[in-house]
Amino acid sequence: MDRMQQTRRTERAEDHSPPVPPRHDGIGEGGTGSGPVVELSLSAAIARRRALTSQLMEQVVEPDNLNQAYARVRANKGAPGIDGMRVDQLADWIRGHKQAFIKGLLDGSHEPSAVRGVQIPKPGGGERQLGIPTVIDRLVQQAFLQVLTPILDPTFSPNSYGFRPGKSAHDALAAAKAHVAEGYTTVVDIDLEKFFDRVNHDVLMNRLGRHVGDKRMLRIIGRFLRAGLMQNGVCTNREEGTPQGGPLSPILANLMLDDLDKELEKRGHRFCRYADDCNIYVQSRKAGERVMESVTRFLEDKLHLRVNRLKSAVAHVSERKFLGHRLLSGGRLGLAPQSLKRARERL
């Protein structure tokens, strides 16, 4: 038995988490509805998904999809990108460049512009890097998002709550309250250091390639990831990261961290994840320390992400905050002291 297998068994025994039940076939292909499913091999399942998603760009350029994307970009408003084009100028641009624009998407030749870098203060101190795409690139990303969401979102974990249709921060807090009320009062609070800035492009594109077979879409998304960052008149190349600010960033972040979700489910853990904010609930500090060690190793070795040891901790839930709140005995919810302080300062 290797070290990882031993760690997982020890975690589950210490945490008293229920074992993951075998999957049964209710509707599945070739199933009887009465016994464990014999799953397709990973490579066969990936090949099947790719075959079904090899013509996504035709869906992207459908008039209804582009019109919906245009309406969403208009509604979201937002600042101009590096070209200075405002949202209210987009309609005129489309009228003059429609055919070339659609052709560039269909043949995979669309070249995204660099994003405009902006630093904004974080509530807990420090700064967050935003990347503002041009209005045209926001239109493309939104059109991609509308096609990708029905493909990717159903595969995500029910324990993932951030930036997903039909889910919210309130749902994440309700789930966390339920875990604490059931006696899981020790939290493994994992802080990913500059997650959006440190996403490994190769790992992310590999995950996306499991679901998407259209090489044109993959090619353009790869260009979005590598598009330069223009800040203070200097454009720097990006070898990693997916800066917050574009419509595609949230779903790509969820895709990147879905491997973490699946790993935690496989180990039988109770957890809530909202974007890069992940809390795992256990029943003792000893179990929490084991979970912290093994999950940190998984994140750094498998996903090439970096865990911030100074901000991550194993503690009683009342000592940590989750989405601006803290959890108290019995699953009661209260405002985190930092959130209360900011609210008072604003008042």
Side-chain angles (χ1 to χ4, degrees):
M1 181 183 300
D2 63 25
R3 184 181 176 189
M4 183 70 79
Q5 288 174 320
Q6 181 64 51
T7 300
R8 291 173 186 169
R9 288 193 177 183
T10 306
E11 285 172 13
R12 188 173 292 150
E14 179 67 30
D15 182 25
H16 309 294
S17 297
V20 179
R23 294 181 61 180
H24 284 71
D25 184 23
I27 308 175
E29 199 172 77
T32 64
S34 61
V37 175
V38 178
E39 300 285 356
L40 288 172
S41 69
L42 180 61
S43 59
I46 289 173
R48 184 178 179 187
R49 283 198 295 267
R50 284 175 175 163
L52 293 172
T53 56
S54 61
Q55 301 294 316
L56 294 183
M57 294 305 294
E58 281 70 19
Q59 296 180 38
V60 167
V61 301
E62 282 287 331
D64 285 349
N65 187 60
L66 288 177
N67 288 337
Q68 183 183 344
Y70 170 77
R72 180 58 62 89
V73 170
R74 283 284 306 235
N76 288 343
K77 300 180 180 178
I82 63 167
D83 61 356
M85 183 188 294
R86 302 187 310 273
V87 171
D88 60 8
Q89 297 173 307
L90 181 58
D92 288 339
W93 184 91
I94 293 172
R95 277 190 285 270
H97 300 82
K98 180 178 177 181
Q99 297 306 317
F101 174 65
I102 291 176
K103 180 180 181 297
L105 295 176
L106 285 175
D107 64 19
S109 64
H110 177 79
E111 287 284 352
S113 301
V115 297
R116 183 164 68 87
V118 177
Q119 298 274 354
I120 62 170
K122 294 172 68 174
E127 293 185 322
R128 176 178 287 116
Q129 177 72 63
L130 293 186
I132 303 175
T134 64
V135 176
I136 297 164
D137 284 339
R138 294 209 292 271
L139 175 66
V140 175
Q141 289 195 31
Q142 182 63 39
F144 279 19
L145 176 65
Q146 291 163 187
V147 170
L148 286 173
T149 296
I151 296 169
L152 298 180
D153 192 78
T155 71
F156 292 158
S157 167
N159 300 293
S160 166
Y161 295 91
F163 309 108
R164 297 185 59 193
K167 288 181 175 284
S168 68
H170 295 290
D171 297 323
L173 288 167
K177 285 173 58 178
H179 296 325
V180 174
E182 291 173 9
Y184 294 79
T185 55
T186 298
V187 63
V188 181
D189 186 356
I190 297 176
D191 184 275
L192 291 172
E193 189 175 309
K194 295 185 177 179
F195 167 70
F196 284 91
D197 299 333
R198 295 223 164 103
V199 168
N200 183 286
H201 290 172
D202 290 337
V203 174
L204 176 56
M205 292 304 296
N206 177 271
R207 299 316 186 257
L208 187 59
R210 295 174 183 174
H211 302 273
V212 173
D214 195 320
K215 293 181 179 179
R216 299 164 296 176
M217 176 176 279
L218 292 173
R219 195 178 303 130
I220 295 173
I221 290 176
R223 290 179 189 141
F224 274 123
L225 291 175
R226 296 187 299 273
L229 182 72
M230 178 73 77
Q231 197 158 254
N232 300 322
V234 178
C235 188
T236 56
N237 294 326
R238 284 189 291 151
E239 302 299 328
E240 61 181 3
T242 169
Q244 299 176 74
L248 272 178
S249 288
I251 196 169
L252 293 180
N254 277 330
L255 177 64
M256 183 73 177
L257 290 173
D258 189 56
D259 274 19
L260 170 63
D261 298 340
K262 298 297 193 292
E263 181 69 16
L264 294 176
E265 288 172 351
K266 186 161 52 177
R267 299 185 190 187
H269 287 309
R270 297 166 183 255
F271 69 98
C272 297
R273 183 176 65 77
Y274 193 96
D276 58 333
D277 196 350
C278 183
N279 279 2
I280 306 166
Y281 300 92
V282 297
Q283 291 183 306
S284 73
R285 186 176 187 89
K286 189 175 180 181
E289 288 169 351
R290 288 200 179 101
V291 171
M292 176 67 82
E293 180 186 354
S294 61
V295 171
T296 296
R297 190 164 57 248
F298 176 84
L299 285 164
E300 296 186 341
D301 293 350
K302 300 293 185 182
L303 299 184
H304 302 284
L305 298 170
R306 191 178 303 171
V307 174
N308 187 326
R309 266 82 169 173
L310 295 177
K311 293 185 177 180
S312 301
V314 176
H316 189 273
V317 288
S318 63
E319 299 172 20
R320 305 295 293 179
K321 66 183 178 73
F322 181 50
L323 301 177
H325 294 73
R326 63 174 178 158
L327 293 153
L328 308 173
S329 299
R332 291 178 298 119
L333 200 63
L335 273 179
Q338 302 96 316
S339 301
L340 186 58
K341 180 182 178 183
R342 286 197 301 271
R344 284 173 172 162
E345 287 172 351
R346 284 198 299 268
L347 289 172

